[in-house]
Amino acid sequence: MKLSWMSIGLVASLSRGIEAQQTRRDVPRDQLQYDVNYFDQKINHFPDSEIYTKSNLSHGTFSQRYYFDDTYYKPGGPVYLYISGETSGPSRFSNLQTGIIQILMEATNGLGVILENRYYGQSYPFSTSTTDELLFLTTNQTIADNAYFAQNAVFPGIDCDLTAPGTPWILYGGSLAGAQTALSIKVYGDVLYAGIASSAPINVAVGYPEWYNTIQKYAPQDCITRINGIVDNFDLLIAKNLTSAVKEFKALFGLGVLTDDRDFAAAIADPIGNPGFYHSSTWQELNWNSTYGSRDFFYFCGNVSDIDAPEEITQVDYLFANYTNGVPWVGLGSYANYVKSYVLELCPSGDYNSNDCWGTQNASAWASIENTSTRSYLYTSCIEQGAYIEGPKEGPALLSRVVDTSYEQQWCTWAFPAGVSNSIPPTPDIDAYNNFGSFNFSADRLAFIDGDQDVWNDLCYHSNFAPPRTASTDLHPEYLITGAGHHWDSYGILDVEAEPQFIREAHRWQIKTVNRWLRKFDGWKKSQKS
Ligand SMILES: *[C@@H]1O[C@H](CO)[C@@H](O)[C@H](O)[C@H]1NC(C)=O
Ligand SMILES: *[C@@H]1O[C@H](CO)[C@@H](O)[C@H](O)[C@H]1NC(C)=O
Ligand SMILES: *[C@@H]1O[C@H](CO)[C@@H](O)[C@H](O)[C@H]1NC(C)=O
Ligand SMILES: *[C@@H]1O[C@H](CO)[C@@H](O)[C@H](O)[C@H]1NC(C)=O
Ligand SMILES: *[C@@H]1O[C@H](CO)[C@@H](O)[C@H](O)[C@H]1NC(C)=O
Ligand SMILES: *[C@@H]1O[C@H](CO)[C@@H](O)[C@H](O)[C@H]1NC(C)=O
Ligand SMILES: *[C@@H]1O[C@H](CO)[C@@H](O)[C@H](O)[C@H]1NC(C)=O
Ligand SMILES: *[C@@H]1O[C@H](CO)[C@@H](O)[C@H](O)[C@H]1NC(C)=O
Ligand SMILES: *[C@@H]1O[C@H](CO)[C@@H](O)[C@H](O)[C@H]1NC(C)=O
């Protein structure tokens, strides 16, 4: 199951649950493990803010996990803080082993460190996650964690003081963590020297139907137009309240038990991606290197547009033709067959209408107060980030229009009943988040790097809705990687020159950018002191 925000796709799920072991220098880099360290983090960084102090939980500290790699470190080198975002610290190890942090460490004699986000992995302040206990899971607290950590971190085995601002701390984050990187540099630029924000959503909206635009535009068009036609026809059945036809249609996909039309719509969109959770490897799980991704999306599309599908499958295209003036629903048989053959099995319990598959209408399942990353991530969406994936308001659809923002908002309501000192807003307070700058976001020594084939790109610096980006400077650098998906620059293969050129040049640009900044560090440090 994947959160549809982040690309915690394949690599993450493989390494999930790996416990840190002794760092061994003789193992290949891609298998390096790191010792766990614990940082005493403040639960509340804002003792003067009534938002937090009205809670009786706003005192004290919690243990925040961190992991570091000093393989390349030489005294005088920078510290790279990898912002862990909405998943556990260990599931981010690849960034130190072979990814962007490895690339930058090697190029600059740096040290790399991963700080696990509060309320993820094992870095929970409380033993459960009630609405009251989640009060301290805000972007403001998270970015304050980064600054406080940089000012106080110790690295066992390393003799020198590597704290900020005396040492250059350079942040890197992808996706939600990219936005946290941008915000950290903007708010704590006197402590944190620089940052690279990759595929960072800096301008969020409550609903995000544009998630599908990239796929609509770049995926194989024979497949896409077939799905568009089928979704249009399904929406027609709904609009005409043809309930028995809708029922028959669901059964065709083996999903007759999904009584809620939106759950069904999300389920058949699983191979493409859908709101909240999906089980398939979708467009978002593609990668420039197959080691880190999966081409399942293209297999799905290959099935939907298969010119050699057997007759018993293509015949299904005519099943509902009498609702569309005799016109067949081209690709329906192949689509339904793919879902039945390859998607349903991704629900291990076989209970398709349960919360761990596609059924999302069981309110009490949402109300569980157990600490989980899913719950923490949902909370953040509900209070400040929104970006609920929904069907399109206009134009062709890959997800049925029955799915709108009320679908996900309902989960928020079920999951987070009002507590004593905290309650969620009726709709995410995206203004507070966008007030950091939105598409005009800017901070010194903050680089934005995006991919034009990223499903999240329309929330990012290089969004189609943002002003044209024509003035990159050393202080405000930016780069749009052509042909790249969601923070594809995070991945590396221990040889930049051997990478495909679109990634290679992005990495070379990142190395140059960081080196330019480092050359100016001494001057910055002096100006900070005066
Ligand atoms: C905080 O207040 C709540 C509600 O009044 C109470 O149930 C809880 O025990 C208190 N917790 C602490 C740590 O004092
Ligand atoms: C919160 O729950 C997580 C996982 O459910 C667990 O690992 C963690 O120890 C819990 N946190 C605390 C402080 O008990
Ligand atoms: C977050 O902090 C900023 C100051 O850095 C403040 O302006 C803003 O109101 C805070 N947002 C919330 C939701 O507390
Ligand atoms: C749709 O059909 C169902 C059952 O056939 C009926 O109960 C319901 O009232 C209809 N809804 C509308 C909006 O016509
Ligand atoms: C259909 O999907 C399966 C499973 O991914 C794949 O093995 C097969 O090659 C696909 N068929 C076509 C025609 O793309
Ligand atoms: C289409 O055919 C089905 C049976 O195959 C029938 O139940 C349905 O009423 C027909 N619909 C229309 C619009 O003719
Ligand atoms: C709803 O969720 C609760 C809590 O997980 C579970 O005990 C119950 O069996 C679920 N109900 C249904 C109908 O699945
Ligand atoms: C960005 O800045 C421009 C020019 O100052 C202004 O016109 C525009 O409204 C700003 N946009 C946002 C989203 O703040
Ligand atoms: C993909 O990654 C593997 C493992 O690092 C590497 O051996 C291979 O050459 C890479 N392929 C491409 C096309 O970069």
Side-chain angles (χ1 to χ4, degrees):
M1 183 163 74
K2 294 168 190 70
L3 296 174
S4 48
W5 182 278
M6 248 300 300
S7 60
I8 58 174
L10 289 183
V11 178
S13 49
L14 287 176
S15 53
R16 199 174 294 145
I18 292 179
E19 282 311 309
Q21 296 153 15
Q22 204 63 28
T23 304
R24 288 186 306 264
R25 297 286 159 82
D26 54 345
V27 300
R29 279 206 65 86
D30 63 356
Q31 288 160 36
L32 276 182
Q33 295 297 313
Y34 302 99
D35 287 334
V36 62
N37 299 277
Y38 295 94
F39 182 72
D40 222 14
Q41 185 63 270
K42 293 179 183 178
I43 290 177
N44 177 26
H45 292 279
F46 305 98
D48 299 327
S49 163
E50 212 217 310
I51 299 177
Y52 303 108
T53 53
K54 66 178 184 231
S55 162
N56 61 358
L57 302 172
S58 69
H59 301 285
T61 60
F62 68 99
S63 283
Q64 192 169 21
R65 296 199 298 188
Y66 66 103
Y67 303 86
F68 69 92
D69 183 323
D70 61 358
T71 322
Y72 298 101
Y73 179 71
K74 295 214 178 99
V79 173
Y80 293 101
L81 175 59
Y82 183 87
I83 305 300
S84 189
E86 68 274 40
T87 178
S88 75
S91 65
R92 299 299 200 173
F93 281 177
S94 64
N95 293 276
L96 298 182
Q97 293 161 334
T98 58
I100 182 65
I101 301 297
Q102 184 277 328
I103 291 171
L104 296 175
M105 287 192 295
E106 184 179 37
T108 60
N109 300 327
L111 176 145
V113 53
I114 296 172
L115 178 66
E116 188 166 74
N117 204 107
R118 54 170 61 208
Y119 294 89
Y120 289 91
Q122 298 285 323
S123 298
Y124 285 86
F126 310 106
S127 51
T128 53
S129 293
T130 63
T131 306
D132 280 325
E133 288 164 335
L134 286 163
L135 175 66
F136 307 93
L137 177 56
T138 61
T139 301
N140 274 358
Q141 297 281 4
T142 296
I143 63 176
D145 285 348
N146 297 335
Y148 187 68
F149 176 68
Q151 289 169 295
N152 295 284
V154 291
F155 299 101
I158 299 212
D159 285 339
C160 7
D161 173 1
L162 291 187
T163 56
T167 297
W169 276 61
I170 300 179
L171 277 58
Y172 176 95
S175 191
L176 170 62
Q180 292 170 350
T181 296
L183 269 50
S184 299
I185 301 304
K186 177 146 188 169
V187 178
Y188 300 102
D190 53 341
V191 174
L192 305 167
Y193 183 54
I196 300 175
S198 179
S199 299
I202 50 170
N203 179 72
V204 296
V206 175
Y208 185 52
E210 294 84 5
W211 196 88
Y212 294 98
N213 287 4
T214 311
I215 307 170
Q216 179 70 40
K217 184 170 174 182
Y218 292 109
Q221 293 299 300
D222 50 352
C223 161
I224 292 304
T225 50
R226 284 169 179 225
I227 297 167
N228 291 154
I230 293 162
V231 171
D232 282 350
N233 290 343
F234 172 69
D235 285 357
L236 192 81
L237 299 184
I238 300 271
K240 292 190 171 162
N241 199 21
L242 294 165
T243 37
S244 64
V246 167
K247 228 169 151 177
E248 218 182 303
F249 187 80
K250 289 178 181 173
L252 185 63
F253 287 79
L255 289 166
V257 296
L258 292 179
T259 43
D260 189 285
D261 292 340
R262 298 165 303 174
D263 287 349
F264 170 76
I268 64 168
D270 198 283
I272 310 166
N274 64 22
F277 316 98
Y278 53 82
H279 307 256
S280 308
S281 289
T282 71
W283 182 267
Q284 188 169 328
E285 280 71 48
L286 301 173
N287 201 285
W288 59 268
N289 187 296
S290 59
T291 312
Y292 306 121
S294 160
R295 63 186 271 196
D296 282 359
F297 177 85
F298 293 121
Y299 287 128
F300 163 66
C301 255
N303 277 261
V304 171
S305 54
D306 187 4
I307 55 174
D308 297 317
E311 205 190 323
E312 73 259 26
I313 287 181
T314 53
Q315 273 307 314
V316 172
D317 296 3
Y318 293 86
L319 218 56
F320 295 90
N322 63 346
Y323 296 105
T324 45
N325 302 319
V327 180
W329 298 24
V330 182
L332 177 59
S334 296
Y335 188 1
N337 184 58
Y338 183 89
V339 169
K340 274 193 292 198
S341 309
Y342 302 108
V343 179
L344 298 188
E345 69 187 17
L346 302 176
C347 159
S349 71
D351 186 1
Y352 305 139
N353 199 25
S354 71
N355 238 55
D356 57 343
C357 294
W358 295 282
T360 69
Q361 301 302 300
N362 180 350
S364 53
W366 290 101
S368 163
I369 58 172
E370 205 185 320
N371 292 340
T372 64
S373 58
T374 305
R375 183 166 174 81
S376 299
Y377 181 72
L378 180 67
Y379 181 77
T380 296
S381 307
C382 298
I383 63 159
E384 50 183 349
Q385 262 162 7
Y388 303 161
I389 295 175
E390 59 174 337
K393 297 289 166 231
E394 56 189 21
L398 294 171
L399 173 70
S400 164
R401 298 159 186 91
V402 296
V403 178
D404 62 17
T405 57
S406 68
Y407 182 55
E408 211 166 318
Q409 189 59 45
Q410 181 122 60
W411 307 342
C412 298
T413 310
W414 288 330
F416 309 111
V420 175
S421 51
N422 188 27
S423 56
I424 62 163
T427 187
D429 186 8
I430 54 163
D431 291 343
Y433 188 87
N434 290 336
N435 275 343
F436 283 101
S438 170
F439 287 136
N440 288 346
F441 200 107
S442 171
D444 290 351
R445 286 172 303 279
L446 172 66
F448 283 111
I449 186 163
D450 294 316
D452 65 359
Q453 298 202 13
D454 175 10
V455 284
W456 297 105
N457 194 45
D458 274 339
L459 303 176
C460 301
Y461 190 79
H462 294 93
S463 166
N464 291 304
F465 304 108
R469 305 304 186 181
T470 54
S472 181
T473 63
D474 290 359
L475 214 48
H476 305 130
E478 53 90 2
Y479 196 113
L480 177 63
I481 314 175
T482 183
H486 200 46
H487 63 84
W488 277 12
D489 63 303
S490 294
Y491 304 89
I493 55 171
L494 297 174
D495 184 355
V496 170
E497 289 305 312
E499 293 169 357
Q501 76 175 10
F502 68 132
I503 294 297
R504 181 190 72 213
E505 291 310 312
H507 283 153
R508 285 164 53 92
W509 174 85
Q510 285 170 310
I511 292 169
K512 277 185 290 180
T513 298
V514 163
N515 271 312
R516 283 190 189 109
W517 289 335
L518 290 175
R519 286 176 192 187
K520 297 203 164 145
F521 179 69
D522 286 338
W524 176 81
K525 200 161 125 181
K526 282 194 196 101
S527 70
Q528 288 298 101
K529 279 185 185 140
S530 58

